[in-house]
Structures are given as C-alpha cells and as structure tokens.
Amino acid sequence: MKKIASLLSVCALALGLAACGSDDASPKTEDKKELKIGATTGPYADMVKEAIKPGLEDLGYKIEIVEFTDYIQPNKSLGNNSIDANLFQHKVYMDNFAKENDLELSDLVIVPTAPMGIYSNKYKSLKDIKDGTSLALPNDPVNLARALKVLVDEDLIEVKPDVDPLKISEKDVTKNPKNIQFKPLESAQLPRATDSVDLSAVPGNFALAAKMDLQDALVLENMPDMYRNVVAVNTKDADAQFAKDIKSVVESDKFEEVIDSKFAGFGKPDWMK
C-alpha cells in the first residue's frame, strides 16, 4: 500500500508539473511575430513602411500597416488591441488622450517629425511683415501652442510665462508689437489659407499632405521633443519583446539612413543628434 501511495504522489506531482509546463508553453504577447502598426495616412504611414517595417521583417516579423485619416481611431484601436502600436502623435497629445479616454498608453521612442512652419505667398521673410499682418494658425490648443512658440522664438510676440500648453489661446499673448491678427482655423485648412491670409502656421504633416515643401517655410519651428511624434503601445506591452524590437529598429543606423534620404526637413529628436 505504501508503494501505491508513493506512486500516486509521484504521478500527481508529475501531472502538476506538466500542467505548469503547459501554462508556460502558452503563447505570450512578447512572443508574437505578427504585428499591426497603425499610422495616419501620409508621411508617418510612409515612415512605418519605408523605415520601420523592413527592419522588423529582418527580425522575422510579419507587419501589416493600418492607415487612419483621423487622430481618434489610432488610439482607440490601440486601446482595444486591434493594432499593436501606432505612430502619429506626440507625447503631450497621447497623455491627454489616454487620460480623457481611460487608456493606458506608453511611448516607446521619439521619431523624426515634420516641423510646423510659417508659410507665406506674400512675404519672403518674417522681418518684412507689416503692422496688422494676418496669420492663420491651428485652433486646437496643442498645435496653437506650437504656433505661438514659433512667434515667441522669432521675437514677434510674448505670452504669459508657464502657461498650460493644453489651454493656451491668443488671450495669453501679452505683447504683440506688430499687431498680428490671429485667424484660428482647422489644421487641415491651413495650407490653403496661404492664399487668403498674409501668413499661415502649418503643422508639418498637413503641409506635406498638401504637397508643400518644408524648405519653403519662412521659418521652421525649433521643436521640443515633447512635440515630436512617438511610437506608442499599450502600457501592458511596453516591455514585450516586439516593443523592444520596434525601439531597436528605430534606433538603428539603417533607420536614420532612410530618414536622411526620404524625409528631408524632418526634425530629429535629441537622441539622434
């Protein structure tokens, strides 16, 4: 009887270990080799296609690029796991969107980003602008903050110190010696606005979508990293192997070579300098 009991105990232990081994063998997020990466149609979908996808394929991944035409669905799709990562937004926008929509998102790595520029069909230099010059600029707070910062950097205006970039508006301008007339518009309308106003502050992605040359801007913003686009993932996946591999591809020499050859004018983040 003792031998039978002992044998049963050994079998039970073996079954228990086998069960644990079965759990360990189940597929894990970090083991996945098929990825869906979302990006807005235009330069950032192109960046995934030209500069990120090839590197991941070299590591054995199968990549599907999912293109979006708005700034809402890429994060919604990430949050419900329809895609594994996205590239279209900067960290300020990502953090605010995640907070407002109860999502847990993390940025993996900052990528080169098309800078906002001040464009004009009337002036050749910002030094030439006259009193009362009209300026079209984005009407959403984050891009408005970027436009106003360009004007501050060019010594054209002053704004309240330490103003919240998510709540800034033209009312926060404290000095405007050229009496610039601000014309807030939807960002998508800003490229066309160059025909009806003296100056237009156009975010880089909208400029490129409208076939504008970044180098034609009177001035390009000195973009802080917090306004450069990031590759984002769900926070639960931030330490997954696929996330580490995406980061390693973006930080590779091959990635920078593609940026230099096919994305001229894109401002590089501090880590690339």
Side-chain angles (χ1 to χ4, degrees), residues 97-132:
F97 188 97
K99 180 179 179 181
E100 291 183 349
N101 291 273
D102 195 27
L103 298 176
E104 294 187 5
L105 306 179
S106 293
D107 55 303
L108 286 182
V109 61
I110 304 170
V111 301
T113 304
M116 177 178 290
I118 305 294
Y119 297 84
S120 178
N121 290 335
K122 180 177 180 179
Y123 294 111
K124 298 298 183 181
S125 169
L126 288 179
K127 295 179 180 179
D128 299 331
I129 66 172
K130 298 179 180 179
D131 186 82

